[in-house]
Amino acid sequence: MPENTLLPLDADTIRKAYDSVLWAPRLPTGEELDTLKQQLQGHVQLLVPDVQDFAARMRGEMRQLAVRILVLASQLLEEYTDGSPACDAYDLATMTRALLTLHQHPGPLGEPTGAHEIAEEIRQRLCGACSEPIADEKLYERRTFDSDPSDAIHGSVHTELCVEQLPLPAPVPPPSLRA
């Protein structure tokens, strides 16, 4: 299980960093934006090991939520290190906020169980179309999903069709044209 023993956690600094993105009327540009993104990436990297440790001690829905957030954080960090333009400051800020919330409010904690399974799930790549794991030997592609005007949701999908596509419904003529 990863351990965070290098840096102390400064929740106020982390909160200020993600608030500067999430509450900003306009984001900075150029070098200032790059610096902010690097700072947020560092916060995500700092929080992931601690939240992963907590996740092994969480139970029920809180544990499922923590694992899902950790999976998304892992994918986001992978994307960021690949230099993907899809990984933006809003993604990093939202992930930082989610991780800090889980860190500060983990719910009731028990004895650690299933830490190895959590680590495996975090390393797993899930298909954004069918939600099934993408095996290491399978081909996949990165895609931005048309979720809203910002195209903020992105992820991996199988290169082969994995979801049965239903035929388009037949058009229905308006009542005035029906015989």
Side-chain angles (χ1 to χ4, degrees):
M1 205 170 348
E3 286 187 34
N4 177 8
T5 57
L6 301 175
L7 300 170
L9 186 71
D10 182 357
D12 290 334
T13 299
I14 294 170
R15 196 172 292 106
K16 284 178 189 171
Y18 69 67
D19 278 347
S20 72
V21 171
L22 298 177
W23 293 100
R26 247 183 316 288
L27 285 179
T29 58
E31 194 173 311
E32 190 177 349
L33 179 61
D34 290 341
T35 301
L36 182 58
K37 286 173 65 172
Q38 288 172 358
Q39 182 183 18
L40 290 167
Q41 179 198 16
H43 292 318
V44 170
Q45 290 172 328
L46 178 69
L47 287 162
V48 162
D50 286 349
V51 173
Q52 190 171 345
D53 288 343
F54 281 140
R57 298 175 53 207
M58 292 175 178
R59 301 294 176 258
E61 291 176 359
M62 199 65 165
R63 181 183 180 117
Q64 291 172 348
L65 173 66
V67 170
R68 181 68 181 142
I69 295 296
L70 288 165
V71 167
L72 293 173
S74 173
Q75 291 173 354
L76 186 66
L77 288 174
E78 179 182 317
E79 222 173 85
Y80 190 80
T81 56
D82 289 346
S84 170
C87 181
D88 67 6
Y90 290 109
D91 292 335
L92 288 164
T94 302
M95 185 55 60
T96 304
R97 179 176 59 183
L99 288 165
L100 183 62
T101 300
L102 284 168
H103 186 276
Q104 292 185 317
H105 306 284
L109 299 175
E111 289 297 315
T113 59
H116 179 71
E117 289 83 5
I118 291 172
E120 277 296 312
E121 194 165 342
I122 291 168
R123 283 192 298 273
Q124 210 172 49
R125 180 172 280 114
L126 295 177
C127 176
C130 69
S131 299
E132 292 296 319
I134 300 173
D136 290 338
E137 67 275 1
K138 293 282 188 178
L139 295 176
Y140 69 93
E141 60 186 54
R142 300 289 298 157
R143 182 180 297 163
T144 300
F145 298 104
D146 297 327
S147 60
D148 57 27
S150 71
D151 289 333
I153 298 177
H154 41 274
S156 303
V157 294
H158 292 103
T159 52
E160 297 174 12
L161 186 62
C162 57
V163 179
E164 182 181 331
Q165 300 209 352
L166 300 174
L168 293 173
V172 178
S176 62
L177 296 177
R178 289 185 207 159

